[in-house]
Amino acid sequence: MANYSFPLDPVFLALSDPTRRAIVSRLARGRASVKELAAPIAMALPSVLKHLRVLERGGLIRSQKIGRTRLCELEPAALRTAEAWMVQQRAMWEAHADRLEAYVEALHAQEQADGP
Amino acid sequence: MAHDEELDLVISRLLRAPRSLVWKAWTDPAHLKQWWCPKPWTTEVLGFDLVPGGSFHTLMRGPGGETSDNPGTFLEIVPRSRIVWTTALVANWRPAAEPWMPITAFITLEDEGAGTRYRATVLHKDKATRGSHEQMGFFDGWGTCIDQLEAYAGALR
């Protein structure tokens, strides 16, 4: 689906996936438990955990186990850097392109189905 | 177009739809508002005059009453190929009052196979010199949109 012309360092790799971008933007509004992060994604928990590990390796988030709950939050140090600002911009524009992609492809499929 | 790797973003996608349809989805406000910002956020197109100097003004509304107001203007229109707009100016080239984060964006469409190569190049004024407070403000406005992306795309597919 995606085609990136930017170097795929760990940060960009972490954000090269729409699910991970959704997680990052959710965490931008405050920390959340793994369960809370998984809820809107409609994905099995192990898959969500896998995405979270990629994000942690990219230094974008950190997590902490409190009792039986694992809480995730954005890595504040990462957020303060100028690079992080570009990462945010990129996530926003990639998501924008994702939406256009989904929309035009659905529209096209519908036109094909409806016939000329 | 000259790039500054530090300040510019290039987003590229191969869309499985003909160029005329992608153009329509971008330039018909009734279509644009469907994808510009995902549910439950909604996009109101307050100005869409597809000529250089014409208004391009979107207002996004969040479920909690949050808004993100983005007035701008088109700079260049090449039918079915290219759209350039900026938020540094508003309609009729008037300098924007207080652009929160001025950008100039180039959208280009090219035939590629049976589909369309979509490129968005976004030029920024400077690297973030803003503090984390403003960064969070940015997220409130835009990040929440991204939050809903997958559910929205999933429902369409």
Side-chain angles (χ1 to χ4, degrees):
Chain A
M1 176 190 84
N3 184 326
Y4 300 94
S5 42
F6 229 68
L8 282 177
D9 67 21
V11 171
F12 289 107
L13 175 70
L15 286 169
S16 66
D17 176 90
T19 302
R20 291 197 288 271
R21 291 199 289 274
I23 291 171
V24 167
S25 54
R26 165 62 190 85
L27 290 176
R29 291 187 286 130
R31 65 182 186 170
S33 68
V34 172
K35 206 174 140 189
E36 285 169 326
L37 291 172
I41 298 174
M43 192 179 269
L45 215 54
S47 308
V48 174
L49 287 168
K50 214 157 109 186
H51 284 304
L52 291 174
R53 275 200 297 276
V54 176
L55 287 169
E56 270 195 285
R57 275 204 300 273
L60 288 159
I61 69 164
R62 62 184 179 191
S63 69
Q64 186 186 2
K65 198 152 188 185
I66 298 173
R68 292 176 58 191
T69 309
R70 181 166 287 278
L71 282 175
C72 300
E73 61 186 340
L74 286 185
E75 179 56 64
L79 265 183
R80 276 196 293 273
T81 66
E83 288 72 23
W85 178 78
M86 282 306 274
V87 166
Q88 293 163 18
Q89 295 303 307
R90 170 156 293 271
M92 182 187 100
W93 285 96
E94 293 283 3
H96 195 252
D98 288 345
R99 291 196 294 276
L100 175 65
E101 180 180 34
Y103 186 75
V104 294
E105 291 184 1
L107 204 59
H108 184 51
Q110 194 186 330
E111 285 192 353
Q112 297 285 93
D114 292 347
Chain B
M1 191 186 350
H3 282 303
D4 182 334
E5 296 228 338
E6 300 266 284
L7 296 177
D8 304 342
L9 289 173
V10 182
I11 309 283
S12 176
R13 289 281 193 288
L14 179 59
L15 308 177
R16 288 165 296 181
R19 192 148 60 102
S20 55
L21 189 67
V22 180
W23 180 259
K24 192 164 89 175
W26 222 109
T27 59
D28 179 341
H31 284 300
L32 180 89
K33 64 187 288 188
Q34 299 298 322
W35 62 269
W36 193 255
C37 166
K39 294 161 189 163
W41 281 65
T42 55
T43 303
E44 216 174 300
V45 182
L46 299 180
F48 199 94
D49 186 10
L50 200 64
V51 294
S55 170
F56 179 36
H57 187 176
T58 56
L59 175 68
M60 283 163 272
R61 293 181 191 278
E66 317 91 309
T67 57
S68 174
D69 190 21
N70 298 278
T73 191
F74 292 113
L75 299 173
E76 186 186 1
I77 304 296
V78 181
R80 294 172 10 102
S81 298
R82 188 171 159 95
I83 300 165
V84 186
W85 93 91
T86 185
T87 56
L89 304 172
V90 296
N92 302 311
W93 322 108
R94 182 174 293 278
E98 277 179 33
W100 171 72
M101 186 195 294
I103 56 139
T104 298
F106 296 74
I107 304 296
T108 61
L109 308 179
E110 284 170 70
D111 292 329
E112 186 173 318
T116 305
R117 174 59 61 182
Y118 174 84
R119 276 194 192 86
T121 305
V122 186
L123 280 50
H124 299 96
K125 184 174 72 168
D126 52 21
K127 268 194 169 179
T129 48
R130 301 161 170 82
S132 58
H133 178 81
E134 279 178 312
Q135 289 190 344
M136 296 318 281
F138 155 80
F139 267 119
D140 287 345
W142 282 97
T144 315
C145 299
I146 306 172
D147 199 18
Q148 302 296 328
L149 168 68
E150 274 318 278
Y152 178 72
L156 275 174
R157 274 175 194 276

